[in-house]
Amino acid sequence: MDTYISKADPFVLLYLGVTAVFGIIAFYKAKKNQVEKKCIFAHSLLLLFLLEIFCFAMLKSYIGLILFSMACLIFYIYLPVQTMLSVDTKAVLITGTDSGIGHALAKRLDNLGFVVFAGVLNKDGPGAEELKRSCSQRLHVLQLDITSSAQIQEAYLQIAEMVQNTGLWGVVNNAGILGFPGDGELLPMSLYKQCMDVNFFGPVEVTKKFLPLLRKSRGRLINISSLAGGIPIPRFAAYGASKAALSMFSGVMRLELSKWGVKVAAVYPGGFRTCIQGTSELWNTQEKHLLENLTPDVKEDYGDDYIVALKNYLLHMPSHCDSDLSLVLDDVLHALLAKSPHGLYAPGKNAYRNLCIFCYFPLWFYDSFFGKGHTSKSVPSALGNWV
């Protein structure tokens, strides 16, 4: 026994030495550059620890030590850290900053030292006034209805004059509308067109107008899509289709603009409480418009109770959403400043998981466990009569 211990002691010291040196270097690198995926980092360290035990217990020779040292080297090389660029008063345009994600993002970027051009639907509204009151002189509130070509052109002229030769570092297409949630058959065509105008055609026109400034700075284009634009969610046919179009546009732009050095990212927030669902007055107006556009046979098949339940879904939707927007803001900031940003971000509880399940699992699995989970408990009157 004494002989075994004396032979093992040098290896114990060598293993401890390698572990100590690697641990100090790895944690220094992680702290300096900020670990991008803390979960992967922790799991990798655990695997390395288990490998060290295996190498020491089963390979009592220099072969085990070399194997463990090589694993440490590989882990260090591929350590998932993010190299962030400095702010340096970079200029960013954000649309839809009256409320919600855009409003919080404008404040966050201003606090970090960005020059922020905050586009609002109503320059004299409470959201715009709050930004003027609480933010620094670097933030400029601009009247910007993204469905108005004239306002987009005016915003471009103002921003181009201010940034001049430096260009515009970022454009965040955030403005969007939800519309009244309901079965695709019930939604009026005007809602489909409105969703496409605001959620797709507007961001496309803003992007096209400001791309010369982005190309000059080799900056970032970030489109705030939605989880509903990546997976089918019942009652969001109009909204989801418009966001899916925006997501595809982002993917194409990512490929086309790479030759210019412009990086493009799509963000798919899932389950956050913003003001996108509108007010009770707006819901009443939308419900009335929906009812007025239904044909008698469709209205009879679905029934009044089913349609009323749709508005109740809107009333309860905020209670199922997260009021903390920090996950979305962190992802947008990463897309703006990371040296190698992702092409897609999915902040929110289970958002990325649901995307992966829809993309990689059989459709019957998604339909069974996710589609039905989002289906209303109320049943159209015609179906109720069949039971």
Side-chain angles (χ1 to χ4, degrees):
M1 177 64 73
D2 293 338
T3 303
Y4 172 76
I5 294 176
S6 63
K7 290 182 178 179
D9 283 344
F11 286 107
V12 172
L13 295 175
L14 286 172
Y15 273 102
L16 289 176
V18 171
T19 303
V21 171
F22 165 73
I24 293 171
I25 295 175
F27 277 102
Y28 173 77
K29 181 180 179 182
K31 184 177 180 180
K32 181 180 179 181
N33 296 289
Q34 201 171 8
V35 175
E36 185 174 345
K37 299 176 181 177
K38 294 182 176 61
C39 181
I40 295 178
F41 178 70
H43 289 167
S44 299
L45 285 180
L46 177 61
L47 288 175
L48 276 177
F49 178 69
L50 295 176
L51 177 64
E52 181 180 18
I53 295 175
F54 171 79
C55 291
F56 179 75
M58 305 302 294
L59 304 173
K60 300 182 180 68
S61 66
Y62 286 104
I63 296 177
L65 183 61
I66 293 172
L67 178 63
F68 175 63
S69 300
M70 290 296 295
C72 290
L73 179 61
I74 293 171
F75 176 84
Y76 176 79
I77 293 173
Y78 292 100
L79 183 65
V81 297
Q82 52 187 359
T83 303
M84 304 296 284
L85 305 175
S86 60
V87 174
D88 290 335
T89 64
K90 288 180 170 64
V92 176
L93 167 66
I94 311 170
T95 65
T97 62
D98 303 78
S99 61
I101 294 172
H103 188 85
L105 180 63
K107 287 184 174 181
R108 175 83 172 271
L109 297 187
D110 174 71
N111 187 54
L112 291 173
F114 284 88
V115 174
V116 179
F117 297 103
V120 294
L121 184 62
N122 183 2
K123 195 174 182 181
D124 298 319
E129 292 298 330
E130 167 65 16
L131 290 176
K132 295 174 188 176
R133 184 188 62 80
S134 62
C135 295
S136 72
Q137 296 298 316
R138 291 187 305 272
L139 185 139
H140 308 275
V141 175
L142 303 176
Q143 177 63 44
L144 183 53
D145 177 355
I146 62 170
T147 64
S148 169
S149 298
Q151 291 190 17
I152 293 174
Q153 174 66 15
E154 179 62 27
Y156 171 78
L157 293 175
Q158 293 181 50
I159 293 174
E161 183 179 357
M162 295 186 69
V163 300
Q164 295 184 354
N165 295 328
T166 60
L168 184 65
W169 176 255
V171 170
V172 182
N173 283 309
N174 167 75
I177 61 168
L178 177 66
F180 193 85
D183 295 45
E185 184 182 9
L186 299 177
L187 300 179
M189 282 307 301
S190 59
L191 180 59
Y192 283 95
K193 293 175 181 178
Q194 186 184 23
C195 281
M196 290 300 292
D197 283 340
V198 179
N199 297 341
F200 177 62
F201 291 122
V204 170
E205 187 169 356
V206 169
T207 299
K208 285 170 60 64
K209 178 59 65 176
F210 285 92
L211 266 179
L213 298 180
L214 283 182
R215 288 192 285 104
K216 184 179 292 185
S217 66
R218 299 168 68 87
R220 308 292 167 87
L221 171 63
I222 301 167
N223 293 316
I224 307 298
S225 181
S226 169
L227 186 61
I231 63 175
I233 300 178
R235 295 185 292 274
F236 294 108
Y239 175 73
S242 64
K243 287 296 189 178
L246 180 63
S247 298
M248 183 58 69
F249 174 72
S250 299
V252 174
M253 288 294 100
R254 187 182 70 252
L255 297 173
E256 294 180 350
L257 295 176
S258 61
K259 57 180 172 285
W260 295 97
V262 176
K263 293 181 170 59
V264 182
V267 182
Y268 288 48
F272 290 95
R273 190 184 308 165
T274 66
C275 298
I276 194 172
Q277 66 264 26
T279 63
S280 57
E281 292 80 9
L282 178 62
W283 303 339
N284 292 331
T285 302
Q286 291 176 337
E287 182 186 29
K288 181 181 178 182
H289 182 61
L290 182 149
L291 291 170
E292 290 174 348
N293 284 271
L294 291 180
T295 59
D297 55 335
V298 171
K299 188 174 181 180
E300 182 181 356
D301 286 344
Y302 280 89
D304 293 335
D305 292 340
Y306 185 85
I307 297 172
V308 168
L310 296 176
K311 191 168 71 171
N312 291 334
Y313 173 77
L314 260 177
L315 293 170
H316 293 95
M317 191 167 71
S319 63
H320 300 288
C321 297
D322 190 354
S323 60
D324 183 7
L325 302 177
S326 59
L327 290 176
V328 185
L329 304 185
D330 289 345
D331 280 353
V332 174
L333 184 62
H334 185 274
L336 283 171
L337 289 181
K339 189 174 181 179
S340 300
H342 309 314
L344 185 151
Y345 297 83
K349 184 178 180 181
N350 300 326
Y352 191 73
R353 182 203 68 182
N354 293 347
L355 273 173
C356 289
I357 289 176
F358 174 69
C359 292
Y360 301 116
F361 280 65
L363 283 179
W364 63 262
F365 181 86
Y366 176 86
D367 292 348
S368 298
F369 293 94
F370 290 89
K372 290 180 180 179
H374 286 90
T375 303
S376 174
K377 294 180 180 179
S378 60
V379 178
S381 59
L383 295 179
N385 295 333
W386 294 349
V387 178

